[in-house]
């Protein structure tokens, strides 16, 4: 339904079938998805399609945008995002997957880890090394970004068993001789890290907004239960020890929401928003966790029931 309604193109240019709106509107949408009760399961299956292709919007040529964006918006193409590797998580500059130019193509060898949604993706946004790490001062130089076919003849995909978030698969990818044409490189060679950074701040903002929606859904459930559940002859919500923890969680949630939407406004205005996006996600995650925990406690034993 999200695809059929055109929502995947919310932050993509109108010229290519998108809505031409900003990260602010995308964050509102994602907040609504979790707030509806869908939680992170619902949000996770949507959000990679919103922030993942953002480097194409920011750095893709006119030809690349016209070729790559419409099938993504229509849902004909499904992408995954290959950055993390077994030996490189937070330290992105340490990635070892290499793309070597053979005169007609880049040829990729290496491994990716935790690649979400690869089971059903036919495209990958792939970060690979095109120059050795020690060739420049900054470890994050010499990385290049590609948006290309996930050709299973050259990529083995193994699902990682997880404890939760099962609606979206996570995978280990083994890449052996994947050929990528030059026209699938996004941005300049060696500047791939700077290109993905453009997708990371929107990702932080969207995930933070999703956390807010989740926290709001939890508080809505808890406050309703507190009104309806009678113990010792009156609603439990008449006790301040039920009210105050929920009120505190609400205040923290709404404060985090303000920080997140400040970050979104800055991003949409083309201004630096790294500090606000990071702070917003940090505050929102904590506030949502607290809201959920307090909601579970408010429900007493029923807080532990699947229902
Ligand atoms: C469900 C799920 C989906 C994911 N989807 C994708 C995806 O689609 N594409 C993709 O590329 N990646 C994906 N990831 C990977 C995710 O981005 C990485 O897990 C993350 O970047 C952290 O890397 P790491 O797990 O290797 O942790 P590490 O880098 O090994 O860090 C381990 C721990 O050490 C801490 N740490 C590291 N360095 C320092 C330091 N200097 N000071 C203090 N603490 C430090 C970290 O905070 C962490 O707690 C996904 C992960 C999960 C769990």
């Amino acid at each position: 339904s999200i695809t059929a309604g055109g929502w995947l193109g919310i932050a993509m240019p109108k010229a290519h079938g998108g809505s031409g709106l900003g990260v602010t509107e995308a964050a509102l949408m994602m907040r609504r998805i979790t707030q509806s009760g869908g939680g992170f399961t619902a949000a996770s299956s949507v959000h990679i399609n919103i922030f993942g292709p953002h480097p194409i919007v920011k750095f893709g040529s006119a030809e690349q945008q016209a070729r790559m964006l419409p099938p993504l918006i229509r849902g004909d193409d499904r992408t995954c995002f290959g950055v993390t590797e077994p030996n490189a998580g937070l330290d992105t500059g340490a990635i070892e997957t290499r793309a070597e130019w053979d005169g007609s193509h880049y040829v990729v060898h290496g491994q990716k880890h935790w690649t979400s949604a690869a089971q059903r993706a036919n495209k990958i946004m792939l970060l690979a090394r095109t120059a050795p790490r020690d060739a420049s001062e900054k470890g994050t130089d010499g990385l290049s970004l590609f948006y290309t076919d996930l050709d299973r003849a050259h990529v083995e995909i193994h699902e990682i068993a997880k404890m939760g978030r099962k609606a979206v698969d996570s995978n280990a990818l083994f890449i052996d001789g994947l050929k990528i044409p030059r026209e699938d490189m996004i941005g300049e060679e060696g500047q791939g890290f700077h290109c993905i950074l453009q997708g990371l701040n929107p990702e932080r903002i969207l995930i933070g907004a999703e956390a807010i929606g989740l926290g709001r859904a939890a508080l809505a459930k808890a406050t309703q239960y507190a009104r309806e559940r009678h113990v010792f002859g009156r609603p439990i919500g008449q006790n301040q020890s039920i009210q105050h923890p929920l009120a505190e969680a609400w205040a923290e949630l709404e404060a985090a929401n303000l920080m997140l939407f400040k970050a979104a406004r800055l991003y949409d205005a083309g201004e630096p928003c790294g500090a606000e996006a990071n702070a917003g996600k940090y505050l929102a995650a904590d506030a949502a966790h607290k809201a959920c925990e307090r909601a579970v406690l408010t429900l007493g034993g029923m807080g532990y029931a699947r229902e």
Side-chain angles (χ1 to χ4, degrees):
S1 299
I2 290 275
T3 308
W7 295 98
L8 294 183
I10 190 165
M12 298 204 193
K14 277 187 178 166
H16 301 301
S19 303
L21 298 171
V23 166
T24 302
E25 290 82 3
L28 286 171
M29 173 177 86
M30 297 312 296
R31 192 180 69 190
R32 173 50 59 186
I33 289 175
T34 49
Q35 200 171 332
S36 73
F40 266 77
T41 297
S44 296
S45 56
V46 176
H47 77 196
I48 190 165
N49 298 288
I50 310 292
F51 74 81
H54 223 61
I56 305 173
V57 176
K58 285 271 172 178
F59 300 101
S61 65
E63 181 278 324
Q64 286 176 326
Q65 293 195 7
R67 176 162 55 92
M68 297 169 175
L69 296 180
L72 274 169
I73 296 170
R74 288 196 304 268
D76 294 342
D77 280 347
R78 288 162 179 253
T79 190
C80 59
F81 196 66
V83 176
T84 306
E85 298 187 1
N87 297 323
L90 291 178
D91 184 7
T92 307
I95 68 169
E96 293 161 354
T97 295
R98 57 188 201 285
E100 285 163 347
W101 182 249
D102 74 353
S104 64
H105 288 85
Y106 288 94
V107 183
V108 183
H109 291 90
Q111 284 184 41
K112 292 290 168 186
H113 210 216
W114 283 113
T115 313
S116 297
Q119 292 290 332
R120 292 205 274 163
N122 64 323
K123 294 279 181 183
I124 183 167
M125 183 73 78
L126 180 72
L127 192 68
R129 198 156 263 301
T130 43
R133 190 176 194 187
D134 52 16
S136 58
E137 271 179 31
K138 272 186 159 180
T140 47
D141 283 345
L143 302 176
S144 298
L145 189 63
F146 302 91
Y147 177 74
T148 197
D149 290 338
L150 184 59
D151 178 0
R152 283 167 165 74
H154 295 280
V155 185
E156 254 185 58
I157 303 173
H158 296 282
E159 190 163 354
I160 300 170
K162 299 195 298 285
M163 290 192 280
R165 206 235 206 189
K166 293 182 181 166
V168 179
D169 51 274
S170 302
N171 303 279
L173 269 55
F174 299 85
I175 308 172
D176 186 15
L178 178 71
K179 284 189 173 180
I180 305 183
R182 188 182 282 281
E183 53 269 26
D184 285 357
M185 179 182 281
I186 306 295
E188 286 175 36
E189 181 168 311
Q191 295 300 305
F193 182 73
H194 307 284
C195 296
I196 58 161
L197 275 187
Q198 284 297 325
L200 294 185
N201 281 326
E203 180 182 5
R204 291 175 180 126
I205 294 168
L206 295 188
I207 290 182
E210 291 161 21
I212 300 291
L214 184 71
R216 284 182 175 177
L219 290 185
K221 225 173 196 155
T223 47
Q224 188 190 347
Y225 191 83
R227 277 188 217 104
E228 292 169 358
R229 175 71 175 165
H230 284 66
V231 180
F232 297 112
R234 60 186 192 143
I236 55 170
Q238 282 186 4
N239 301 303
Q240 288 190 329
S241 59
I242 292 283
Q243 294 168 2
H244 287 178
L246 294 176
E248 184 185 48
W250 177 85
E252 291 178 12
L253 211 49
E254 296 307 316
N257 188 53
L258 290 177
M259 177 63 88
L260 273 170
F261 280 88
K262 178 181 179 190
R265 178 169 50 75
L266 289 170
Y267 183 87
D268 286 337
E271 291 177 34
C273 70
E276 288 80 2
N278 276 292
K281 175 175 174 261
Y282 168 77
L283 294 170
D286 260 8
H289 191 272
K290 187 185 261 187
C292 290
E293 186 190 27
R294 293 199 167 164
V296 167
L297 294 177
T298 303
L299 267 66
M302 286 311 288
Y304 201 59
R306 197 179 191 105
E307 171 199 341

